[in-house]
Amino acid sequence: MENKCDLLIVGAGIFGLTIAERAANELGKNVLVIDKRNHIGGNAYSEFDKDTNIEVHKYGAHLFHTSNQTVWDYVNKFTKFTDYVHKVYTTHNNEVFPLPINLGTINQFFHAAYTPSEARDLIKQQAAEVAGIEPTNLKEQGISLIGKPLFEAFIMNYTSKQWQTPAEELDPSIIKRLPVRYTYNNNYFANTYEGLPLDGYEKWFQNMIDSAKEGKGSISIKLDTDYFDSPELQSLKGVVPTLFTGAIDRYFDYSEGELPWRSLDLVREIVDTDDFQGCPVMNYADLDAKWTRIHEFKHFHPERWGKDEWPGYSENFGKTVIVREYSKTWKQGDEPYYPVNTPETRELFAKYKKLAEAEKNENKVIFGGRLGEYAYYDMDNVFASALNKFEEYKTDGFFA
Ligand code: FAD
Ligand code: UDP
């Protein structure tokens, strides 16, 4: 099989499966996708807990949201979406506040009844120390967005738990993704489209694979297979075009040094209660809670509540599944989850990017995805990147 494939893809995550689907269905290629894990979908995979049948996102909560029309049209070919709208709360000083920071958060924090323009004026005064400068790091960005007191309450300690890198050294883009609103709108995302795959993530990704059954090409999946443990697969270098979606520094055997990652401990627990926290995600803004947030998965699918076929989601089921998320520094052997975006890491990644360009020319190997591009991508960014890269590589003859 390996020798007969026209394209080898390492990694059955979103990037790998999107390229596989396009190459099989548009170009009629026979694609082999391997993954070292025992399932498809990469970090976006979810499974149904066997005691409760509650859908648990194995690698941390995954919410799909996008404003990219091309991506939305593409993903809708393979799944329907629920109309779930994500809400997050945060606990600070034993009090619960709504996120992202909005007029409700501001008025609760200052025990006030500010109008939108009064709140804007207040935040402007509280951000005076960074007035007129273009933020160059996360701390300046945070203070300029919400002023110092709110930054110190809701961002500073959460960020230090999450990144264990001083806010002064982190890239401002990390929190630019969080909107700040002078209304009471506490929808976490501000995208045109949002929802969760109606039948779960695995079904969505399986539909992408199965779509090739109709066409000229094919997609074969081989799980529990680590590229680096297979001399046979590695011998295809330079012979069969290969896409690698694992960590780029691992591919080059860390020759330029290790790219730093954040990893996570996701500690799952079945709690004997109907409802643990009343919302899908509760962040913990203070240092006394060692975890950054707790996910309660039954709240991600309100449309399943009260349905006979979903007893785990009923109001008096007596059990619920929660996951506490702890951030930790990545070391070899851990899952690399978050690239750490600092000036030093960008410089190091640039060196790997150079090696990657040479690898394409010499060995027909290309790189992509969150691990391959060392980018803090959401799922929609990964679909967009894969669809763009597919066009680019199609045009330059890579798949020929
Ligand atoms: P991955 O999903 O990492 O897939 C890469 C695959 O390659 C993996 O399955 C891996 O096992 C495999 N692989 C690696 N090395 C090898 C090897 N040597 N041999 C064989 N296989 C290999 N995005 C959102 O849009 N919304 C969210 O709410 C959201 N929440 C997130 C929460 C967490 C905790 C994390 C970590 C990410 C979150 N994301 C979210 C981002 C999302 O997970 C990614 O953007 C997306 O899943 C990345 O897809 P990918 O294909 O690039 O990589
Ligand atoms: N953040 C924070 N407090 C919060 C939520 C987020 O300080 O309560 C900051 C933190 O630096 C985090 C970043 O905003 O890493 C992005 O948060 P988001 O929830 O979007 O991240 P993800 O779900 O990818 O971990």
Short mmCIF file of all heavy atoms in Angstrom, two decimals, residues 14-15 17-23 26 68-75 77-78 208 373 379-395 399:
data_model
loop_
_atom_site.label_atom_id
_atom_site.label_comp_id
_atom_site.label_asym_id
_atom_site.label_seq_id
_atom_site.Cartn_x
_atom_site.Cartn_y
_atom_site.Cartn_z
N ILE A 14 -6.76 18.19 11.30
CA ILE A 14 -7.52 18.98 10.32
C ILE A 14 -6.68 19.32 9.09
O ILE A 14 -7.16 19.21 7.95
CB ILE A 14 -8.07 20.25 11.00
CG1 ILE A 14 -9.18 19.87 11.98
CG2 ILE A 14 -8.55 21.27 9.97
CD1 ILE A 14 -9.69 21.02 12.83
N PHE A 15 -5.43 19.69 9.29
CA PHE A 15 -4.61 20.06 8.14
C PHE A 15 -4.42 18.84 7.22
O PHE A 15 -4.67 18.91 6.01
CB PHE A 15 -3.25 20.61 8.58
CG PHE A 15 -2.55 21.36 7.49
CD1 PHE A 15 -2.63 22.74 7.41
CD2 PHE A 15 -1.81 20.69 6.51
CE1 PHE A 15 -1.99 23.44 6.38
CE2 PHE A 15 -1.18 21.37 5.48
CZ PHE A 15 -1.27 22.75 5.42
N LEU A 17 -6.15 16.03 7.00
CA LEU A 17 -7.37 15.50 6.36
C LEU A 17 -7.90 16.43 5.27
O LEU A 17 -8.48 15.97 4.28
CB LEU A 17 -8.46 15.26 7.41
CG LEU A 17 -8.19 14.11 8.39
CD1 LEU A 17 -9.37 13.93 9.34
CD2 LEU A 17 -7.89 12.79 7.67
N THR A 18 -7.69 17.73 5.43
CA THR A 18 -8.16 18.67 4.39
C THR A 18 -7.35 18.47 3.11
O THR A 18 -7.92 18.40 2.00
CB THR A 18 -8.05 20.13 4.88
OG1 THR A 18 -8.78 20.24 6.10
CG2 THR A 18 -8.61 21.11 3.88
N ILE A 19 -6.04 18.36 3.25
CA ILE A 19 -5.21 18.13 2.05
C ILE A 19 -5.55 16.76 1.45
O ILE A 19 -5.67 16.62 0.22
CB ILE A 19 -3.71 18.20 2.40
CG1 ILE A 19 -3.33 19.60 2.94
CG2 ILE A 19 -2.85 17.82 1.19
CD1 ILE A 19 -3.24 20.71 1.92
N ALA A 20 -5.78 15.76 2.32
CA ALA A 20 -6.12 14.42 1.82
C ALA A 20 -7.42 14.48 1.01
O ALA A 20 -7.51 13.94 -0.10
CB ALA A 20 -6.27 13.45 2.99
N GLU A 21 -8.43 15.14 1.57
CA GLU A 21 -9.74 15.21 0.90
C GLU A 21 -9.61 15.91 -0.45
O GLU A 21 -10.13 15.43 -1.47
CB GLU A 21 -10.73 15.95 1.83
CG GLU A 21 -12.15 16.03 1.32
CD GLU A 21 -12.39 17.12 0.29
OE1 GLU A 21 -11.77 18.21 0.39
OE2 GLU A 21 -13.16 16.88 -0.66
N ARG A 22 -8.88 17.04 -0.47
CA ARG A 22 -8.74 17.80 -1.72
C ARG A 22 -7.95 16.99 -2.76
O ARG A 22 -8.32 16.93 -3.94
CB ARG A 22 -8.03 19.14 -1.47
CG ARG A 22 -8.80 20.19 -0.66
CD ARG A 22 -9.94 20.85 -1.41
NE ARG A 22 -11.04 19.96 -1.66
CZ ARG A 22 -11.74 19.90 -2.79
NH1 ARG A 22 -11.45 20.67 -3.80
NH2 ARG A 22 -12.74 19.06 -2.95
N ALA A 23 -6.85 16.38 -2.31
CA ALA A 23 -5.99 15.65 -3.27
C ALA A 23 -6.74 14.45 -3.83
O ALA A 23 -6.62 14.14 -5.02
CB ALA A 23 -4.70 15.23 -2.59
N GLU A 26 -10.23 16.16 -5.72
CA GLU A 26 -10.03 17.07 -6.86
C GLU A 26 -8.98 16.54 -7.84
O GLU A 26 -9.12 16.70 -9.04
CB GLU A 26 -9.62 18.47 -6.37
CG GLU A 26 -9.68 19.48 -7.50
CD GLU A 26 -9.31 20.88 -7.08
OE1 GLU A 26 -9.70 21.30 -5.97
OE2 GLU A 26 -8.61 21.56 -7.87
N ASN A 68 -14.66 33.28 7.97
CA ASN A 68 -14.14 33.00 6.64
C ASN A 68 -15.18 32.19 5.85
O ASN A 68 -15.43 31.03 6.13
CB ASN A 68 -12.82 32.21 6.81
CG ASN A 68 -12.14 31.91 5.49
OD1 ASN A 68 -12.80 31.60 4.50
ND2 ASN A 68 -10.83 31.98 5.48
N GLN A 69 -15.76 32.84 4.84
CA GLN A 69 -16.85 32.22 4.08
C GLN A 69 -16.39 30.94 3.37
O GLN A 69 -17.12 29.94 3.33
CB GLN A 69 -17.40 33.23 3.05
CG GLN A 69 -18.66 32.78 2.35
CD GLN A 69 -19.87 32.65 3.29
OE1 GLN A 69 -20.11 33.53 4.11
NE2 GLN A 69 -20.61 31.56 3.20
N THR A 70 -15.17 30.97 2.83
CA THR A 70 -14.67 29.79 2.11
C THR A 70 -14.57 28.60 3.06
O THR A 70 -14.97 27.48 2.73
CB THR A 70 -13.26 30.09 1.51
OG1 THR A 70 -13.36 31.29 0.76
CG2 THR A 70 -12.75 28.97 0.65
N VAL A 71 -14.06 28.87 4.26
CA VAL A 71 -13.93 27.79 5.24
C VAL A 71 -15.31 27.30 5.66
O VAL A 71 -15.57 26.09 5.73
CB VAL A 71 -13.12 28.28 6.47
CG1 VAL A 71 -13.23 27.29 7.64
CG2 VAL A 71 -11.66 28.51 6.10
N TRP A 72 -16.22 28.22 5.91
CA TRP A 72 -17.57 27.82 6.35
C TRP A 72 -18.25 26.95 5.30
O TRP A 72 -18.84 25.92 5.59
CB TRP A 72 -18.39 29.08 6.68
CG TRP A 72 -19.76 28.80 7.23
CD1 TRP A 72 -20.95 29.13 6.65
CD2 TRP A 72 -20.09 28.13 8.46
NE1 TRP A 72 -21.99 28.72 7.45
CE2 TRP A 72 -21.50 28.10 8.56
CE3 TRP A 72 -19.33 27.55 9.49
CZ2 TRP A 72 -22.17 27.53 9.65
CZ3 TRP A 72 -20.00 26.97 10.57
CH2 TRP A 72 -21.39 26.97 10.63
N ASP A 73 -18.14 27.37 4.02
CA ASP A 73 -18.75 26.58 2.94
C ASP A 73 -18.10 25.19 2.88
O ASP A 73 -18.77 24.19 2.69
CB ASP A 73 -18.57 27.27 1.57
CG ASP A 73 -19.39 28.57 1.50
OD1 ASP A 73 -20.32 28.73 2.31
OD2 ASP A 73 -19.09 29.40 0.62
N TYR A 74 -16.79 25.17 3.05
CA TYR A 74 -16.08 23.89 2.97
C TYR A 74 -16.51 22.94 4.09
O TYR A 74 -16.89 21.80 3.83
CB TYR A 74 -14.56 24.14 3.02
CG TYR A 74 -13.75 22.86 2.95
CD1 TYR A 74 -13.64 22.15 1.76
CD2 TYR A 74 -13.12 22.35 4.09
CE1 TYR A 74 -12.93 20.97 1.70
CE2 TYR A 74 -12.40 21.17 4.03
CZ TYR A 74 -12.31 20.48 2.84
OH TYR A 74 -11.61 19.30 2.78
N VAL A 75 -16.51 23.42 5.33
CA VAL A 75 -16.80 22.50 6.45
C VAL A 75 -18.25 22.03 6.41
O VAL A 75 -18.54 20.90 6.83
CB VAL A 75 -16.45 23.12 7.85
CG1 VAL A 75 -14.96 23.39 7.95
CG2 VAL A 75 -17.26 24.38 8.14
N LYS A 77 -19.79 20.99 4.01
CA LYS A 77 -19.96 19.84 3.11
C LYS A 77 -19.90 18.52 3.89
O LYS A 77 -20.32 17.48 3.42
CB LYS A 77 -18.84 19.82 2.04
CG LYS A 77 -18.93 20.99 1.09
CD LYS A 77 -18.22 20.69 -0.24
CE LYS A 77 -16.72 20.79 -0.10
NZ LYS A 77 -15.98 20.64 -1.35
N PHE A 78 -19.33 18.59 5.11
CA PHE A 78 -19.07 17.34 5.83
C PHE A 78 -19.81 17.19 7.15
O PHE A 78 -19.81 16.12 7.75
CB PHE A 78 -17.55 17.20 6.08
CG PHE A 78 -16.76 17.38 4.83
CD1 PHE A 78 -16.02 18.54 4.61
CD2 PHE A 78 -16.81 16.41 3.84
CE1 PHE A 78 -15.32 18.73 3.43
CE2 PHE A 78 -16.11 16.59 2.66
CZ PHE A 78 -15.36 17.75 2.45
N MET A 208 -15.24 13.43 6.02
CA MET A 208 -14.25 13.96 5.07
C MET A 208 -13.54 12.78 4.38
O MET A 208 -13.35 12.79 3.16
CB MET A 208 -13.21 14.84 5.78
CG MET A 208 -13.77 16.15 6.28
SD MET A 208 -12.54 17.09 7.23
CE MET A 208 -11.49 17.70 5.91
N GLU A 373 3.64 24.61 11.29
CA GLU A 373 3.88 26.04 11.02
C GLU A 373 4.18 26.81 12.30
O GLU A 373 4.34 28.02 12.28
CB GLU A 373 2.65 26.65 10.31
CG GLU A 373 2.40 26.06 8.94
CD GLU A 373 1.10 26.58 8.32
OE1 GLU A 373 0.93 27.80 8.16
OE2 GLU A 373 0.24 25.73 8.01
N MET A 379 -9.08 26.22 14.67
CA MET A 379 -9.41 25.23 13.63
C MET A 379 -9.68 25.90 12.28
O MET A 379 -9.25 25.40 11.24
CB MET A 379 -10.65 24.42 14.05
CG MET A 379 -10.38 23.50 15.21
SD MET A 379 -11.84 22.53 15.66
CE MET A 379 -12.75 23.69 16.66
N ASP A 380 -10.40 27.01 12.29
CA ASP A 380 -10.73 27.64 11.00
C ASP A 380 -9.48 28.14 10.30
O ASP A 380 -9.38 28.09 9.07
CB ASP A 380 -11.78 28.75 11.17
CG ASP A 380 -11.29 29.92 11.99
OD1 ASP A 380 -10.49 29.71 12.93
OD2 ASP A 380 -11.70 31.07 11.70
N ASN A 381 -8.47 28.60 11.08
CA ASN A 381 -7.21 29.03 10.47
C ASN A 381 -6.51 27.84 9.81
O ASN A 381 -5.86 27.99 8.77
CB ASN A 381 -6.25 29.62 11.51
CG ASN A 381 -6.84 30.75 12.32
OD1 ASN A 381 -6.77 30.73 13.55
ND2 ASN A 381 -7.43 31.72 11.66
N VAL A 382 -6.65 26.67 10.44
CA VAL A 382 -5.99 25.49 9.88
C VAL A 382 -6.68 25.07 8.57
O VAL A 382 -6.01 24.77 7.58
CB VAL A 382 -5.98 24.33 10.91
CG1 VAL A 382 -5.36 23.07 10.31
CG2 VAL A 382 -5.22 24.73 12.16
N PHE A 383 -8.02 25.09 8.57
CA PHE A 383 -8.72 24.80 7.30
C PHE A 383 -8.29 25.81 6.24
O PHE A 383 -8.01 25.44 5.09
CB PHE A 383 -10.24 24.90 7.49
CG PHE A 383 -10.85 23.66 8.08
CD1 PHE A 383 -11.34 23.66 9.37
CD2 PHE A 383 -10.94 22.48 7.34
CE1 PHE A 383 -11.91 22.51 9.92
CE2 PHE A 383 -11.50 21.33 7.88
CZ PHE A 383 -11.99 21.35 9.17
N ALA A 384 -8.25 27.10 6.60
CA ALA A 384 -7.91 28.14 5.62
C ALA A 384 -6.50 27.92 5.10
O ALA A 384 -6.25 27.97 3.88
CB ALA A 384 -8.04 29.52 6.25
N SER A 385 -5.57 27.64 6.02
CA SER A 385 -4.18 27.45 5.61
C SER A 385 -4.08 26.23 4.68
O SER A 385 -3.40 26.28 3.64
CB SER A 385 -3.30 27.26 6.85
OG SER A 385 -2.00 26.89 6.48
N ALA A 386 -4.78 25.14 5.04
CA ALA A 386 -4.69 23.92 4.21
C ALA A 386 -5.30 24.16 2.82
O ALA A 386 -4.73 23.74 1.81
CB ALA A 386 -5.39 22.76 4.91
N LEU A 387 -6.44 24.86 2.77
CA LEU A 387 -7.07 25.09 1.46
C LEU A 387 -6.18 25.98 0.59
O LEU A 387 -6.03 25.75 -0.61
CB LEU A 387 -8.46 25.71 1.65
CG LEU A 387 -9.52 24.78 2.28
CD1 LEU A 387 -10.80 25.54 2.62
CD2 LEU A 387 -9.85 23.60 1.37
N ASN A 388 -5.55 26.99 1.22
CA ASN A 388 -4.64 27.86 0.45
C ASN A 388 -3.41 27.11 -0.01
O ASN A 388 -2.98 27.23 -1.16
CB ASN A 388 -4.18 29.05 1.31
CG ASN A 388 -5.30 30.05 1.49
OD1 ASN A 388 -6.20 30.14 0.66
ND2 ASN A 388 -5.28 30.80 2.59
N LYS A 389 -2.83 26.34 0.90
CA LYS A 389 -1.61 25.59 0.56
C LYS A 389 -1.92 24.57 -0.54
O LYS A 389 -1.10 24.34 -1.43
CB LYS A 389 -1.05 24.87 1.79
CG LYS A 389 -0.37 25.81 2.77
CD LYS A 389 1.11 25.97 2.45
CE LYS A 389 1.74 27.22 3.02
NZ LYS A 389 1.73 27.32 4.45
N PHE A 390 -3.10 23.98 -0.49
CA PHE A 390 -3.46 23.00 -1.52
C PHE A 390 -3.40 23.67 -2.90
O PHE A 390 -2.82 23.14 -3.85
CB PHE A 390 -4.85 22.41 -1.26
CG PHE A 390 -5.31 21.51 -2.37
CD1 PHE A 390 -4.78 20.24 -2.52
CD2 PHE A 390 -6.25 21.95 -3.31
CE1 PHE A 390 -5.17 19.42 -3.57
CE2 PHE A 390 -6.64 21.13 -4.35
CZ PHE A 390 -6.10 19.86 -4.49
N GLU A 391 -4.01 24.88 -2.99
CA GLU A 391 -4.00 25.59 -4.29
C GLU A 391 -2.57 25.90 -4.72
O GLU A 391 -2.20 25.74 -5.87
CB GLU A 391 -4.81 26.89 -4.18
CG GLU A 391 -6.31 26.68 -4.00
CD GLU A 391 -6.94 25.83 -5.11
OE1 GLU A 391 -6.55 25.97 -6.28
OE2 GLU A 391 -7.82 24.99 -4.77
N GLU A 392 -1.78 26.37 -3.74
CA GLU A 392 -0.39 26.75 -4.04
C GLU A 392 0.40 25.54 -4.56
O GLU A 392 1.06 25.61 -5.60
CB GLU A 392 0.23 27.29 -2.74
CG GLU A 392 1.63 27.82 -2.87
CD GLU A 392 2.17 28.21 -1.48
OE1 GLU A 392 1.42 28.76 -0.63
OE2 GLU A 392 3.36 27.91 -1.24
N TYR A 393 0.29 24.41 -3.87
CA TYR A 393 1.07 23.23 -4.26
C TYR A 393 0.52 22.57 -5.52
O TYR A 393 1.25 21.94 -6.28
CB TYR A 393 1.15 22.22 -3.11
CG TYR A 393 1.92 22.75 -1.92
CD1 TYR A 393 1.42 22.62 -0.63
CD2 TYR A 393 3.14 23.39 -2.09
CE1 TYR A 393 2.13 23.12 0.46
CE2 TYR A 393 3.85 23.90 -1.02
CZ TYR A 393 3.34 23.75 0.26
OH TYR A 393 4.03 24.24 1.32
N LYS A 394 -0.77 22.76 -5.73
CA LYS A 394 -1.36 22.24 -6.98
C LYS A 394 -0.75 23.01 -8.16
O LYS A 394 -0.31 22.44 -9.15
CB LYS A 394 -2.88 22.46 -6.93
CG LYS A 394 -3.66 21.71 -7.97
CD LYS A 394 -5.15 21.94 -7.78
CE LYS A 394 -5.56 23.31 -8.28
NZ LYS A 394 -7.00 23.57 -8.14
N THR A 395 -0.68 24.33 -7.98
CA THR A 395 -0.17 25.19 -9.07
C THR A 395 1.32 24.93 -9.32
O THR A 395 1.76 24.94 -10.47
CB THR A 395 -0.39 26.67 -8.69
OG1 THR A 395 -1.74 26.80 -8.27
CG2 THR A 395 -0.11 27.61 -9.83
N PHE A 399 2.08 18.06 -6.34
CA PHE A 399 1.34 16.79 -6.24
C PHE A 399 1.47 15.92 -7.50
O PHE A 399 0.98 14.80 -7.52
CB PHE A 399 -0.16 17.07 -6.01
CG PHE A 399 -0.47 17.81 -4.73
CD1 PHE A 399 -1.05 19.08 -4.75
CD2 PHE A 399 -0.20 17.23 -3.49
CE1 PHE A 399 -1.34 19.75 -3.56
CE2 PHE A 399 -0.49 17.89 -2.30
CZ PHE A 399 -1.06 19.16 -2.35
#
